[in-house]
Structures are given as structure tokens and as C-alpha cells.
């Protein structure tokens, strides 16, 4: 399978990538290429020009600033999985990145490409929404930020507007102050993509649940946020029985079904893995 012919240009800065996008309506950004190139080979994408952003240093790397992790959009899954800082401050993200595909995919694939592509079976979107992350972009009108919960808008669709590039993902630390977090997935045995992924972040204080978020991928066309407004655990002890009851009541409209799993089976997986993820997150919180 060969892609349709295209022009190729390499950008040396985020601003140059934005300028090049402004000059080429049919251009696409190329990061790790692990989603875009397969799409081009299948001719599901036929960009006239590829703008290679893979070597822009300013949007690569991880640091901590004012209590949050700042992850450049070009940072690979492998770098995130093996970052001591991410492991310490946000173990759920390191764990999820480590579950992506295989070593080759993790070495080339980037967090920015992963979330810009917005595959429903990708691991990072559910984790970032559960964490309450913020997505930073640069476009023709300058920088812009949106909450991860508003970034994923549909199947392969995001809030990225024409001409914008993702620059940084800002992630709150979640392994301190009585918080615990866990990401679990049932993966497709060949690709590693999620048939069902469950991301839980639970904060406990003096034995009482202060906040709980639970998001799924692989079940619906975009991230399914089970409790956008708090949920049933808040204010209680988040004991196993309460979690089990909450998961028994979990309702998911129009789950996806395909050759790997029916919609009904995916909902059953969400209930089972949601329960396990919440219990593990509560235990990790120490509460
Ligand atoms: C065999 C295989 C197995 C995989 N398994 C998994 C898995 O288990 N879990 C999982 O989550 N993913 C999986 N993936 C996908 C992998 O994580 C990809 O790397 C990722 O989805 C895309 O990242 P990329 O850097 O390769 O992006 P690219 O393929 O280069 O780009 C993807 C899309 O994002 C856009 N884009 C890229 N960077 C930016 C940016 N900075 N700003 C704006 N737009 C941008 C591109 O224009 C393109 O439309 C798998 C892929 C393969 C090939």
C-alpha cells in the first residue's frame, strides 16, 4: 500500500509550523507518523503536503511548573512511561503510556499525535480527561488552551481548529494529597488498542471521598466521562459496596460494537474494569 504523492517540508519551530499551515490548506502535521502514515497508506488521508514537526525541540520534553506537569506535545510515549517525574507525580499517565502498543510504537508515537488523532481506542484521552488536564495550542491567532474534557469532541474529532498545532499538555499531579489513580485496560491482542480502558482518579480526606473521576475509552466514539459532575462516591467512604453499586448502575448510551466486542459486552467490561480501577485508586490514595 502506497500513499498518494505529497510534498514534504520540515518545520523548525512551532510558529513556523503554524505559518506553513496557514499557507497550505491541504497540509497535515507529521509527528511520530504512527497514525497518520497508516491512514495515508490506506488513502483515508491524502494531504497535499506533510509538515514534519518531529524535530522541534521547544515542544518536546517534560518539566514541573507550579505544581503541574508540562509535557511537550512531541514527547514520546516511551519518554513519558520512563520519566521518573511522571512516575512519581502522575503514575496513571506513566502507566497508561507504558501500555500503548509495543516498544516501536512507544518510541515513535507522541502524546500530541495521540490526542490530535483522537482514536476512540487510544489510551491517553480518557486518562487526561480523568486527570482534568489542560491542552495548549498555538494557531494563527496566537496561543489558546482548552480543558481536556472539552478537547475530545467526537470520533477522530477534537477542538483543534484549522491551522493550530498542539504545543503542551498540562497535567495536575495526582499522587499526592490523598489522591490515588489507576488506568486499566482490556487490550486488543495484536495492536494493544483498548477494547475497554478505565481511568479512575480518587481523592480521599479523613476517610471521606472528596472527588472521584472515572473515564472510559474504547466504549463510545469519544471519551466517556461517567461522572462529569462529581458522581455518587463524593461525600461517602467510597467503600467496595458503594463502588460496586455505582458500577451496577452505570449507563452508557449507544456503545460501539465491532468484530472484537459487541456494545453490550463493552458495557459489561466498563462496569467490571471501572469497579477495579476505582477500588485500586482509592487504595492508592491511602484513604
Ligand atoms: C501498531 C500500532 C499499535 C498502536 N497501539 C496503540 C495503543 O495501544 N494505544 C494507543 O493509545 N495508541 C496506539 N497506537 C497509536 C500511537 O499511539 C500513535 O503514535 C498515536 O496515536 C499518534 O501519534 P504520532 O506521534 O504517531 O502522530 P502522527 O501519526 O504523526 O499524527 C497523527 C495525527 O495527529 C496530528 N498531529 C500530530 N502531532 C500534532 C500536534 N503537535 N499538533 C496538532 N496535530 C498533530 C497529525 O497531523 C495527524 O492528523 C498504535 C499505533 C500503531 C501503528
Amino acid at each position: 500500500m502506497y500513499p498518494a504523492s505529497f510534498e514534504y517540508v520540515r518545520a523548525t519551530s512551532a510558529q513556523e509550523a503554524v505559518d506553513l499551515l496557514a499557507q497550505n490548506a491541504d497540509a497535515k502535521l507529521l509527528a511520530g507518523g504512527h497514525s497518520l502514515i497508516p491512514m495515508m497508506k490506506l488513502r483515508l488521508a491524502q494531504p497535499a503536503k506533510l509538515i514534519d514537526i518531529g524535530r522541534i525541540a521547544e515542544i518536546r520534553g517534560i518539566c514541573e511548573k507550579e505544581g503541574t506537569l508540562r509535557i511537550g506535545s512531541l514527547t514520546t510515549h516511551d519518554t513519558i512511561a520512563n520519566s521518573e517525574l511522571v512516575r512519581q507525580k502522575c503514575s496513571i499517565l506513566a502507566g497508561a503510556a507504558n501500555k500503548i502498543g509495543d516498544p516501536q510504537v512507544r518510541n515513535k508515537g507522541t502524546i500530541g499525535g495521540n490526542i490530535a488523532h483522537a482514536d476512540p481506542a487510544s489510551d491517553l484521552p480518557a486518562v487526561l480527561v480523568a486527570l482534568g488536564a489542560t491542552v495548549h495550542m498555538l494557531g494563527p491567532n496566537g496561543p489558546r488552551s482548552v480543558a481536556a474534557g472539552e478537547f475530545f469532541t467526537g470520533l477522530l474529532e477534537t477542538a483543534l481548529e484549522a491551522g493550530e498545532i498542539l504545543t503542551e499538555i498540562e497535567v495536575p499531579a495526582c499522587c499526592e494529597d490523598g489522591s490515588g489513580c489507576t488506568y486499566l485496560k482490556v487490550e486488543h491482542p495484536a495492536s494493544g488498542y483498548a477494547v475497554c480502558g478505565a481511568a479512575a482518579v480518587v481523592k480521599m480526606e479523613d476517610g471521606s471521598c472528596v472527588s472521584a473521576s472515572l473515564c472510559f475509552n474504547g466504549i463510545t466514539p469519544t471519551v466517556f466521562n461517567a461522572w462529569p459532575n462529581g458522581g455518587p462516591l463524593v461525600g461517602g467512604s467510597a467503600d467496595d459496596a458503594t463502588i460496586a453499586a455505582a458500577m451496577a448502575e452505570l449507563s452508557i448510551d449507544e456503545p460501539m460494537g465491532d468484530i472484537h466486542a459487541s456494545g453490550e459486552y463493552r458495557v459489561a467490561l466498563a462496569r467490571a474494569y471501572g469497579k477495579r480501577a476505582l477500588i485500586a485508586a482509592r487504595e492508592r490514595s491511602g484513604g
Side-chain angles (χ1 to χ4, degrees):
M1 288 180 290
Y2 296 98
S5 64
F6 57 88
E7 288 178 36
Y8 172 91
V9 61
R10 184 178 290 159
T12 53
S13 69
Q15 186 59 54
E16 189 187 1
V18 171
D19 295 342
L20 286 165
L21 280 172
Q23 294 160 20
N24 300 276
D26 280 345
K28 274 222 163 261
L29 299 173
L30 176 71
H34 269 55
S35 291
L36 182 55
I37 300 296
M39 297 271 287
M40 289 171 63
K41 286 184 166 182
L42 292 167
R43 305 226 172 177
L44 295 170
Q46 298 192 24
K49 184 173 252 181
L50 283 189
I51 302 168
D52 187 350
I53 57 171
R55 298 188 192 186
I56 303 178
E58 67 183 294
I59 53 171
R60 184 194 303 279
I62 304 169
C63 67
E64 190 181 11
K65 209 165 152 188
E66 293 160 9
T68 62
L69 296 179
R70 310 292 177 101
I71 303 178
S73 63
L74 270 185
T75 310
T76 64
H77 308 317
D78 182 71
T79 300
I80 294 169
N82 291 302
S83 157
E84 206 46 52
L85 186 62
V86 183
R87 285 181 174 184
Q88 274 177 19
K89 303 276 180 176
C90 196
S91 56
I92 184 173
L93 185 58
N98 201 37
K99 287 186 164 87
I100 291 176
D102 53 35
Q104 189 184 9
V105 173
R106 293 194 290 276
N107 275 320
K108 289 299 288 179
T110 65
I111 184 170
N114 189 282
I115 68 171
H117 187 58
D119 191 306
S122 279
D123 296 295
L124 302 184
V127 173
L128 294 176
V129 176
L131 285 167
T134 304
V135 178
H136 298 286
M137 295 158 277
L138 181 68
N141 301 319
R144 185 170 80 90
S145 307
V146 297
E150 289 161 23
F151 182 75
F152 302 100
T153 53
L155 182 81
L156 306 181
E157 283 178 7
T158 70
L160 262 176
E161 287 173 7
E164 286 184 324
I165 176 173
L166 283 167
T167 50
E168 192 176 71
I169 294 83
E170 184 179 340
V171 185
C174 72
C175 300
E176 294 163 342
D177 304 333
S179 292
C181 48
T182 302
Y183 176 69
L184 300 175
K185 81 165 162 176
V186 178
E187 62 185 44
H188 182 275
S191 69
Y193 273 114
V195 175
C196 167
V201 182
V202 175
K203 183 167 184 177
M204 303 290 292
E205 235 173 61
D206 300 327
S208 177
C209 177
V210 178
S211 64
S213 54
L214 178 65
C215 294
F216 296 97
N217 48 279
I219 310 292
T220 48
T222 190
V223 178
F224 180 76
N225 187 348
W227 298 329
N229 301 313
L233 304 189
V234 177
S237 62
D239 57 277
D240 289 4
T242 310
I243 289 173
M247 287 300 94
E249 282 173 17
L250 182 71
S251 144
I252 302 178
D253 290 338
E254 299 185 19
M256 298 186 301
D258 57 24
I259 54 166
H260 307 304
S262 67
E264 195 181 325
Y265 183 59
R266 281 184 154 88
V267 173
L269 287 176
R271 290 188 177 131
Y273 279 78
K275 178 178 151 189
R276 288 183 206 175
L278 285 166
I279 290 174
R282 185 208 58 217
E283 284 176 357
R284 285 182 186 179
S285 77

